[in-house]
Amino acid sequence: MTEEKEQVPHYDVYWQEEPYYYPSPGFVGQANCSDPDIFDRFTLDKFPECFREFADLLHWDKYWHTTFDSSDAPSWKWFVGGKLNACYNCVDRHLAQYRNKTAIHFVPESETARIEHITYQELYRRVNELAAVLRDDIGLKAGDRVTLHLPMTPELPITMLACARLGVIHSEVFAGFSGRACGDRIWDSESAVLITMDSYYFNGERLDHKIKADEAVETAIKQGQRVNKVLIWRRHPGTYSSPTPWVEGRDFFLDEMVRKRKGQLIEPVSMPAEEILFLMYTSGSTGRPKGCQHSIGGYLSYVAWMSRHVQDIHPEDVYWCMADIGWITGHSFIVYGPLALAASTVIFEGVSTYPDAGRPWRVAEELGVNIFHTSPIAIRALRKAGADEPEKYNYQFKHMTTVGEPIEPEVWRWYYHVVGKGRAVVVDTWWQTENGGVLCSTIPGIAPMKPGSTGPGVPGIHPVIFDDAGNEISPEDGKAGNICIRNPWPGSFQTIWKNREGYVKTYYERYCKNPESTDWRDWPYMTGDAALMAPDGYVRILGRIEDVIEVAGHRLGTNEIESGALNVSEVAEAAVVAVIDDDNKGYVPHLYISLRPGVAPSAALEDKISEAIVDGVGEIARPARIILVPDMPKTRSGKLMRRVLASISNYHDVGDVTTLDNPAIVETIRKQVQD
Ligand code: WT7
């Protein structure tokens, strides 16, 4: 078996390329970037100085002397010698021109609650008052870590920015995560302070959130990390609305503390570019969560440049990224990127399909959102629950993003034609928590879109596809392999917090040409995704390497099989897994399907799905079994948990599923498959 694998050093790809879609002249005319020669400025021979223009988007207290330092390879340093403050760059520097412009539109979940419009001036005031509390009442200073466990309210970016103002390292944990998960991250990051909220609104309910803080502190203490203070924002200032009791001497109401600091201004701390802005723990589908350590200068310049060139953000735009700030997407593309460019950014507390699938489009209409950013999982959910909703509302997007997973061409077309009304450009941005910002995408004012493909490497990023032996696979080969990036870039994480060995091992060891070398050319970055590059340079992501399935000696990416299934209009979601087949000692595909509402399951429909896959991929991918399920197991960040489905099909233990978004579905599916 192992031997056979070594003879198959790449993945097989069967599906066809989709035709191009071109951006409208109207979009191109207003785009921040419409100069096709931009790639000439970023050829590999111009590395690393080409990244100067990224840093030049920021205000520097002190200009740097060394653009790139590789002496501690592969922990790269960027803009060495430079000093800046991230909060100053996202708030203070905009006051002269944009004082009265909205920085944050806060949309509470309840449709009857008022939308808050926070100007740059008000943001400045609120960030300063909180910084005063954190510095003078709590005693935090540059380099300290603070764990945030905050939901999607303005207090979250305000807290991040106040930390950044002081040089304090924030580590935001997604509010949907349990107290235990939060406690593990408090412990790992060695935070002595936890900042949380008493409660928030979710899917029509008011959730008690403070209860998780107690659990988190207990978990951290058990592992040896004391938490001295728990600072609690109240969702409605002045009214404590959690039934969870108060711990005297440890718990404090932040909204009360900031009131006492009214009008106080705190000088932003000028920080070395290479210091740490924040830690972001990866969703970690396996093993312990890894704290990705992101720098101040490199990260901020990277997200500012990408927000400008890939998201096409202008200061006059109303920009809505529907992700959660608890993920890297929200850090980069709700908070730091848009605010660095003085845009108006939308913070939405709610769930996209609550109270119905028209909600996002009502918000877009009311606020005049013209740039929209979301994930395939949300797009599928909105299409499943309300395919005709967008046309009922009078909003007008110029630009839309998809991120987080491969998007099936069929779903892409719905996004483009129905959500974008055939007028907005779509960028499919491929990147990871580790990367800070986008790696592959089209530049929307320059290149056409291709459904199902992310674009080529963005300017400054040089992707390469290696086979298992480390040979380059050329785009002309039509083969897929392991996608890597040839060169470092400023937005990349510096290391895994306190785990340099894991950093080198996970991302560099496999394709490193010489572990002693301090030459970046010897250290391609391994993403862990399987991908194919077409002759036009566009990359198609097939999924995580560990999700690739092997059928009769052929390695197939999950995405192309699932994409075939999604061509059937009744299908809402599809997940394929490899199942051990005792008869011939190989694997066969099982296909899990959830149907659109109102569609009845039938044998005829199963046949139709099978035929669609055979049509798109070939006989080799014909599912041995199709299982129609009411819903798919998903992570809180919306990724399909194929691993859980594979365990069910293979009669293995499904492991710990409590961190899933919908853990109960696992048992339902298990019964359905195994009983
Ligand atoms: C993994 C990273 C980037 C922030 C959100 C996810 C998959 C991400 C795409 C895309 C195909 C994608 C990859 C990647 N992925 N974007 N546009 N097309 N796949 O961050 O949780 O760190 O996950 O998500 O497999 O490695 P993350």
Side-chain angles (χ1 to χ4, degrees), residues 261-278:
R261 293 285 173 184
K262 198 163 177 55
Q264 197 164 326
L265 296 181
I266 297 293
E267 194 58 30
V269 179
S270 195
M271 296 292 294
E274 263 311 290
E275 285 300 316
I276 306 165
L277 182 58
F278 65 86

Side-chain angles (χ1 to χ4, degrees), residues 559-572:
N559 187 238
E560 66 174 333
I561 300 176
E562 293 160 7
S563 210
L566 274 143
N567 281 327
V568 176
S569 59
E570 290 90 342
V571 171

Side-chain angles (χ1 to χ4, degrees), residues 282-283 328-329 402-407 428-434 454 527 529 541 543-544 637 639:
T282 48
S283 28
I328 189 78
T329 305
T402 164
V403 65
E405 270 189 299
I407 184 166
D428 180 342
T429 59
W430 168 75
W431 56 293
Q432 310 172 298
T433 304
E434 293 85 340
T454 175
T527 67
D529 281 345
I541 302 293
R544 300 290 302 160
S637 62
K639 290 204 196 319

Side-chain angles (χ1 to χ4, degrees), residues 453-465:
S453 293
T454 175
V458 292
I461 297 293
H462 299 271
V464 55
I465 316 253

